[in-house]
Amino acid sequence: MEILNLSLPAANRFASNYLAQSKDVMPFFHYHFNDLNEDLKRTAELKERSFPRIETATHIESFMERFGTSEAVKNSIEKLKREDSAVVIGGQQAGILTGPLYSIHKVISIIKLAEQKEKLLGIPVVPVFWIAGEDHDYQEVNHVYVPMEEKLDKWTYPKKVHSKPMVTDIPLDQEICREWVRNIIENFGESEHTKRLLEFAERQIEKSATFVDFFAYIIMELFKDYGLLLVDSGDKSFRQLQRDFLTEQIVNHEAITFSLLEQQKQIGDKGFPITIEAGEHAANLFYYDQKLKERILLEYDLAANCFVGKSGRVTFTQEELVEMAAQYPEKFSNNVVTRPLMQEWIFPTLAFIAGPGEISYWAELKLVFEQFNMKMPPIVPRLNITFLDRSVEAEVTQLDLKLEEVLQRGTNQEKEQFLETVRDKEVEMLFSSVKEELLKQYQFIEAKTAVIDRGLLPLLKKNESYLLKEIGFMETKLEDAVKQRHDIQLKKFSRINLALRPDGSPQERVWNIFYYLNHYGLTFIKDLMILPFEFDGLHKVIKI
């Protein structure tokens, strides 16, 4: 494996500006990323604050027991207890089979940055992955894409979820999952690694009771030797650590929303789109209905001086919410605004690893953090990675394509240009002439028909359409014949597109790590982890 660094724009304009540390966006952040002086400022700030280190480490140790441990994990837990330690943290939803590749990229980013910061600063730095188990968007975590005849095929986990439970509460049917995963891996294509990968997947399924379990078992099997720690935001025990902070959020809900909207106004004034949907009555908190197994977003009704759920399903006074937060914190969960706050209260965060979308929404939270006399941690863009198989690289070279352009927009434009060079222009002109003459003659026939018998006009139109359809059919057949003569070249365009820019999306948003584990073996992750990644904002093309 080797890394090729390319300069590519980020997925959105705001993130591109942030990568460049542009003066247009940096006022919305407290720190520049990847700057030693800023890291030193941040460590000094963390020393002035207190964190529930022992309680958090104890919880993580208990939570992770069932997922298998290692000396590196044990060392990370001990580091977290130290008063001088810090964490590099990031999170994602618990996608089935770990979801799209960017989840794996994020894990790698967290581990690698923690290693680098520990060496640079001389303090213990712990990698922590925050599983967004409190999220309830099942449709985002229940599928994997499989290549079928050089096209994408979406395979959805065949179990319906009718309500909106937190992902951490979604059970995993082991029999259904086993058969579904086996079919997926087999459709990736038989390789020398397929048998071992199937056994690996089945072992994780056998140990898993929920979607989060399945995600966590796979992640820890792949990354436990690098000291990665996991937390599940939907875990009830984890909520016990959040009591006091939930109370802070409830009591200060109006200030949180006011600060958010004010920051969004400043960002909007700079011409950037707003990421977080929020109204002036937002409470930025979910109430979890245990009977319905569903999260209900709360809003504050100023006139009634109470908190209400959607369509008035639940109603609480502030005093009732505060009391519940103290006694039953598992009844609440954070939204996109308050989750970063909760993370900041619990963990001594040296850096937060963010994708392009996260960079945008964190910018909207600066004044919210200041409301609680805190600064946002340095927001470090996660590694953007594309895996480039040598056979695909060879075809890129053969077709004289520019890799940067393929990664940004695929090969469709070049494919059409190639087709234009091989089309039989004479045949196209003949068909065009025939259709033009047919339409002209039918105008004359239509005029005569109108005089003789207007009732026949619909039949005439039908006859005209039929002839045009038949001519079009023959035209298409000849075009297909031309394409068939150049099928080898055209398939190269399609294979490159499927590998690097599937369906017009970045590879990392579509493909799943199991596709690569099937082709390159379970040691694929270890091979990746020895590479010298740099957090320089450049796109990492990994040749494999």
Side-chain angles (χ1 to χ4, degrees):
M1 289 186 180
E2 63 174 295
I3 296 179
L4 172 65
N5 291 300
L6 298 177
S7 179
L8 300 180
N12 64 65
R13 184 166 61 93
F14 190 95
S16 291
N17 275 267
Y18 184 72
L19 284 171
Q21 303 284 271
S22 162
K23 63 180 187 321
D24 289 336
V25 302
M26 290 316 296
F28 306 123
F29 298 89
H30 287 110
Y31 297 99
H32 290 73
F33 75 93
N34 218 15
D35 182 318
L36 178 59
N37 289 327
E38 299 286 81
D39 289 338
L40 293 172
K41 288 180 189 176
R42 179 62 177 176
T43 53
E45 185 206 346
L46 293 177
K47 286 178 182 177
E48 298 299 315
R49 295 170 50 203
S50 60
F51 300 92
R53 295 172 182 273
I54 301 299
E55 297 91 334
T56 303
T58 301
H59 163 75
I60 291 175
E61 186 173 28
S62 175
F63 171 72
M64 291 186 65
E65 271 182 348
R66 66 183 186 275
F67 300 120
T69 190
S70 67
E71 284 305 311
V73 168
K74 292 176 183 176
N75 288 339
S76 288
I77 290 171
E78 291 307 310
K79 285 180 184 178
L80 188 56
K81 296 176 182 177
R82 289 179 47 172
E83 287 297 319
D84 62 340
S85 70
V87 306
V88 171
I89 194 168
Q92 202 66 48
Q93 295 158 304
I96 191 105
L97 286 176
T98 72
L101 281 172
Y102 57 68
S103 293
I104 297 297
H105 297 171
K106 191 167 283 187
V107 174
I108 293 172
S109 301
I110 291 166
I111 293 169
K112 283 295 185 178
L113 189 66
E115 290 175 354
Q116 292 175 18
K117 295 301 183 186
E118 183 166 283
K119 289 178 183 176
L120 192 64
L121 298 171
I123 62 171
V125 181
V126 181
V128 178
F129 189 89
W130 179 297
I131 304 171
E134 65 189 357
D135 194 271
H136 61 252
D137 196 341
Y138 178 63
Q139 304 306 320
E140 285 197 16
V141 301
N142 70 347
H143 60 272
V144 169
Y145 288 97
V146 177
M148 300 287 283
E149 298 181 358
E150 298 174 10
K151 292 184 179 179
L152 286 176
D153 196 28
K154 183 178 179 179
W155 287 41
T156 302
Y157 177 70
K159 187 91 172 182
K160 300 291 184 183
V161 175
H162 299 290
S163 59
K164 292 184 177 180
M166 295 191 296
V167 173
T168 198
D169 287 335
I170 297 177
L172 191 79
D173 186 308
Q174 293 184 352
E175 284 304 312
I176 289 176
C177 189
R178 187 179 291 109
E179 182 179 355
W180 184 74
V181 168
R182 174 174 285 277
N183 286 336
I184 284 174
I185 293 174
E186 288 175 350
N187 273 277
F188 284 154
E190 183 81 25
S191 78
E192 61 181 302
H193 308 293
T194 301
K195 185 174 182 292
R196 281 195 65 206
L197 184 60
L198 284 167
E199 292 169 352
F200 170 84
E202 288 183 1
R203 283 198 303 273
Q204 314 321 315
I205 292 169
E206 286 170 6
K207 296 181 286 188
S208 301
T210 69
F211 262 58
V212 167
D213 284 350
F214 191 32
F215 178 91
Y217 275 117
I218 294 171
I219 290 294
M220 288 315 298
E221 281 297 320
L222 296 177
F223 292 101
K224 66 183 178 184
D225 291 336
Y226 306 99
L228 181 69
L229 301 186
L230 300 180
V231 291
D232 171 17
S233 64
D235 184 82
K236 291 179 180 178
S237 298
F238 189 45
R239 295 284 170 74
Q240 300 302 316
L241 296 175
Q242 303 177 22
R243 282 194 185 92
D244 294 343
F245 308 130
L246 284 168
T247 299
E248 287 281 327
Q249 291 174 196
I250 294 165
V251 172
N252 294 285
H253 69 94
E254 288 180 296
I256 291 174
T257 299
F258 176 82
S259 299
L260 170 69
L261 295 177
E262 177 59 30
Q263 188 71 80
Q264 288 182 330
K265 182 180 180 301
Q266 293 177 21
I267 291 172
D269 288 345
K270 286 279 191 178
F272 292 105
I274 300 305
T275 303
I276 300 173
E277 291 185 21
E280 59 182 338
H281 301 299
N284 301 301
L285 196 65
F286 285 94
Y287 170 76
Y288 194 58
D289 190 307
Q290 299 286 350
K291 290 182 180 179
L292 297 177
K293 294 288 183 185
E294 187 172 335
R295 291 202 306 171
I296 301 171
L297 185 62
L298 299 177
E299 288 193 340
Y300 182 65
D301 186 329
L302 184 61
N305 191 27
C306 65
F307 294 80
V308 296
K310 186 178 180 181
S311 302
R313 292 165 64 184
V314 292
T315 304
F316 304 105
T317 65
Q318 180 169 295
E319 291 73 22
E320 287 172 332
L321 286 185
V322 168
E323 186 177 344
M324 273 195 291
Q327 295 187 31
Y328 310 106
E330 67 275 8
K331 290 181 179 287
F332 300 99
S333 64
N334 296 290
N335 77 339
V336 69
V337 176
T338 51
R339 192 204 70 79
L341 277 176
M342 187 63 71
Q343 173 186 291
E344 188 64 19
W345 273 319
I346 293 174
F347 291 98
T349 307
L350 179 64
F352 176 76
I353 295 290
E358 289 170 306
I359 291 171
S360 297
Y361 84 67
W362 271 76
E364 296 172 23
L365 303 178
K366 184 181 180 185
L367 293 178
V368 176
F369 274 74
E370 290 178 359
Q371 179 65 36
F372 294 93
N373 299 313
M374 295 189 297
K375 290 182 178 179
M376 291 192 300
I379 309 300
V380 180
R382 68 165 166 78
L383 296 167
N384 283 297
I385 299 171
T386 295
F387 298 131
L388 177 61
D389 185 278
R390 300 286 180 172
S391 63
V392 175
E393 181 185 17
E395 291 183 337
V396 169
T397 302
Q398 289 164 16
L399 296 177
D400 197 26
L401 302 175
K402 293 181 179 179
L403 184 58
E404 293 94 329
E405 294 179 0
V406 173
L407 293 176
Q408 290 180 71
R409 55 176 175 78
T411 64
N412 290 339
Q413 183 176 316
E414 287 77 8
K415 185 178 181 179
E416 283 303 312
Q417 289 171 351
F418 172 75
L419 279 172
E420 194 63 31
T421 65
V422 299
R423 283 193 177 103
D424 192 318
K425 300 295 191 298
E426 186 178 356
V427 169
E428 287 186 358
M429 288 177 64
L430 280 170
F431 274 104
S432 178
S433 177
V434 168
K435 285 186 281 188
E436 186 179 331
E437 186 63 28
L438 177 72
L439 289 169
K440 185 192 298 183
Q441 293 302 322
Y442 260 79
Q443 284 179 347
F444 293 130
I445 296 172
E446 184 177 347
K448 281 289 184 183
T449 303
V451 173
I452 297 169
D453 186 351
R454 295 188 65 85
L456 291 174
L457 287 175
L459 182 61
L460 180 69
K461 280 293 181 186
K462 185 176 181 181
N463 181 250
E464 179 187 32
S465 296
Y466 174 77
L467 291 175
L468 287 171
K469 183 180 178 181
E470 287 299 305
I471 293 169
F473 174 77
M474 196 62 227
E475 186 178 16
T476 300
K477 283 295 181 184
L478 284 173
E479 287 177 357
D480 290 344
V482 171
K483 290 178 181 178
Q484 191 64 37
R485 286 169 55 188
H486 300 279
D487 186 57
I488 292 175
Q489 288 290 89
L490 292 173
K491 281 187 174 178
K492 288 178 182 178
F493 284 108
S494 296
R495 281 195 295 268
I496 294 168
N497 223 33
L498 188 66
L500 304 181
R501 191 77 185 182
D503 261 13
S505 296
Q507 179 194 84
E508 64 175 20
R509 301 197 67 82
V510 175
W511 293 133
N512 174 273
I513 192 62
F514 274 69
Y515 175 80
Y516 296 91
L517 296 177
N518 182 58
H519 280 76
Y520 304 106
L522 287 166
T523 59
F524 182 67
I525 295 296
K526 290 183 179 179
D527 296 336
L528 284 176
M529 293 301 288
I530 62 175
L531 293 173
F533 290 104
E534 292 182 37
F535 292 83
D536 50 14
L538 296 176
H539 192 95
K540 314 298 176 186
V541 177
I542 300 181
K543 298 182 179 184
I544 50 179

